Amino acid sequence: MTGGPHPMTPAPYRVRSRRPDRADTVTLTLEPVRGDCPPFRPGQFTMLYAPGVGEIAVSISGRARSGGYTQTIRAVGAVSAALCGKRPGDVVGLRGPYGQGWGLRAAAGLDVVVAAGGLGLAPLRPVVRALLRDRPGYGRISVIAGSRAPGLLLFSGDLACWSRQGADVRVTVDHPDHAWRGPVGLVTHLIDRIVFEPRRTYAFVCGPEAMMRKTAAELVRRGVAPGRVELSLERNMKCAVARCGHCQFGPLFVCEDGPVLRYDRAAPMLAVPEL
């Protein structure tokens, strides 16, 4: 009989730092109590366990300088609220990383459009960082992001930094305040403001499902190949190892076959209501 931890048993991770991003959202830096963080691919997720409360899937929003994961969490239920309330020194449970990541290799040499809505910028953050680390390996890099209101925009410091590093960064909001001077409206409206060669473009899209459907459809309408548009899907993931069936999406399991899927593969199922 072989030893080692059971795949469903979370490993203990300690909160190294906590940064409030907005009223309901925080970014935690997590480090293993023992050993090192496993490597991850941009787009993957972990299962985070709040002791005594429960476990949820959370995308990895980056690798900290200390080597730990950064994970951005919005308080929308009991587990996420408990995780958001953790402070440096607290211990949580972590399984993973799991799932399929973004197709950075497939995008090599092409123009790249990164489109985010709301909290969707968190799983796309490692993508933009990777693109800019290998800036000569890609064509034009455009980042378009949408938020309900200026005060709810995530990673504003990162967006400014990416712009200085050569990315074309555009931001829109649904509900501007008196100080907002930027665009107002849907993320799709920003596609008119960026420059890319559709037949030589790869796109990474994450956000609310309606936003992803509209953005992907608009990119395809403009000539981007459906197989070169990737979406990150969100479903109710429980086991994360394709055993429980909670995240079934047609013939696929989002935890294992996703969360990142090409649009040509996902589109027929996204067209089925309530799937």
Side-chain angles (χ1 to χ4, degrees), residues 113-274:
V113 176
V114 177
L119 200 61
L121 191 56
L124 286 167
R125 186 171 176 245
V127 169
V128 182
R129 287 181 163 186
L131 292 170
L132 293 174
R133 278 196 302 269
D134 184 21
R135 186 64 192 86
Y138 302 92
R140 303 178 187 91
I141 298 174
S142 302
V143 179
I144 56 177
S147 177
R148 290 199 308 273
L152 298 177
L153 182 65
L154 286 176
F155 308 125
S156 56
D158 287 305
L159 292 166
C161 179
W162 298 338
S163 181
R164 292 192 298 270
Q165 291 178 302
D168 183 5
V169 177
R170 312 282 180 138
V171 178
T172 186
V173 300
D174 295 330
H175 306 291
D177 58 21
H178 68 280
W180 181 254
R181 296 294 180 268
V184 176
L186 301 175
V187 172
T188 50
H189 296 167
L190 295 177
I191 296 175
D192 289 330
R193 297 173 177 249
I194 59 176
V195 178
F196 61 97
E197 173 53 50
R199 297 189 184 279
R200 290 188 49 79
T201 292
Y202 212 96
F204 304 110
V205 185
C206 187
E209 199 159 289
M211 168 265 172
M212 290 196 293
R213 287 200 310 268
K214 291 176 182 177
T215 302
E218 180 61 16
L219 288 166
V220 170
R221 187 187 72 81
R222 290 169 182 257
V224 180
R228 288 181 172 176
V229 179
E230 294 185 348
L231 316 178
S232 182
L233 300 183
E234 183 176 355
R235 289 296 184 272
N236 184 20
M237 290 182 268
K238 293 292 187 182
C239 72
V241 290
R243 296 294 183 270
C244 71
H246 279 83
C247 68
Q248 189 167 359
F249 182 59
L252 308 178
F253 293 99
V254 173
C255 68
E256 185 174 74
D257 301 302
V260 176
L261 289 172
R262 290 193 337 229
Y263 182 59
D264 58 345
R265 193 178 186 193
M269 291 172 285
L270 287 172
V272 179
E274 306 300 325

Side-chain angles (χ1 to χ4, degrees), residues 40-45 59-60 98-102 123 126-127 232 258-260:
F40 79 96
R41 299 189 304 277
Q44 289 188 300
F45 67 95
S59 296
I60 300 172
Y98 296 115
Q100 304 301 314
W102 301 102
V127 169
S232 182
V260 176

